[in-house]
Amino acid sequence: MTPPHEPEDEGYRPRLIRSYTLTAGRTAAKVELAMEATLRLQAGAEAPVLSPSAAQVLEVCDRRSVAEVSALTKMPIGVTRVLLGDLIEQGLVRIQATINDSTSTDERLELIERTLRGLRNY
């Protein structure tokens, strides 16, 4: 009998990739990204050849937060931020505006409406 932490398949081998190999050794994004920042794909942007990790992030990031992308791709938040920063610099992804101290009442209402629409569609 195999221990509970090991799968029954003898060919199974866990995949361990160091975070710095996914980011070429970089630990910080070139763009400031809050964990709650909502991301949008840029319409009509033509993707260059991307690393498999960057392509995976690009595939799931539209209308999601940085934290959600990290969870969906099963990558550490730091790695996700670096890869998203690259995608933003390449013009493939943009950060959707969020609330700050200078946000107007109309902008706040629009964000609340977008959030409600997203929750209803989920």
Side-chain angles (χ1 to χ4, degrees):
M1 180 173 187
T2 60
H5 64 279
E6 292 181 20
E8 305 251 342
D9 181 10
E10 291 180 22
Y12 172 81
R13 300 209 187 224
R15 191 179 97 187
L16 179 63
I17 298 175
R18 301 282 182 205
S19 297
Y20 59 81
T21 61
L22 301 175
T23 63
R26 295 169 294 147
T27 58
K30 296 176 185 174
V31 178
E32 188 175 325
L33 286 170
M35 285 195 341
E36 71 277 4
T38 303
L39 307 160
R40 295 301 308 266
L41 290 177
Q42 286 286 64
E46 198 168 311
V49 176
L50 299 171
S51 70
S53 300
Q56 184 182 9
V57 167
L58 184 64
E59 185 179 312
V60 301
C61 74
D62 195 33
R63 298 178 186 258
R64 293 203 166 103
S65 70
V66 175
E68 288 174 303
V69 172
S70 178
L72 288 169
T73 59
K74 296 183 172 119
M75 291 183 202
I77 191 77
V79 170
T80 304
R81 281 185 171 144
V82 170
L83 295 175
L84 281 168
D86 293 346
L87 295 171
I88 290 167
E89 282 196 328
Q90 293 172 6
L92 301 172
V93 175
R94 68 179 171 85
I95 304 168
Q96 191 164 327
T98 57
I99 291 179
N100 58 37
D101 292 340
S102 63
T103 303
S104 72
T105 303
D106 289 341
E107 291 171 320
R108 290 171 189 268
L109 288 173
E110 181 185 340
L111 177 62
I112 292 169
E113 289 170 2
R114 276 197 326 256
T115 303
L116 287 172
R117 276 195 307 271
L119 290 170
R120 287 182 187 126
N121 291 332
Y122 188 67

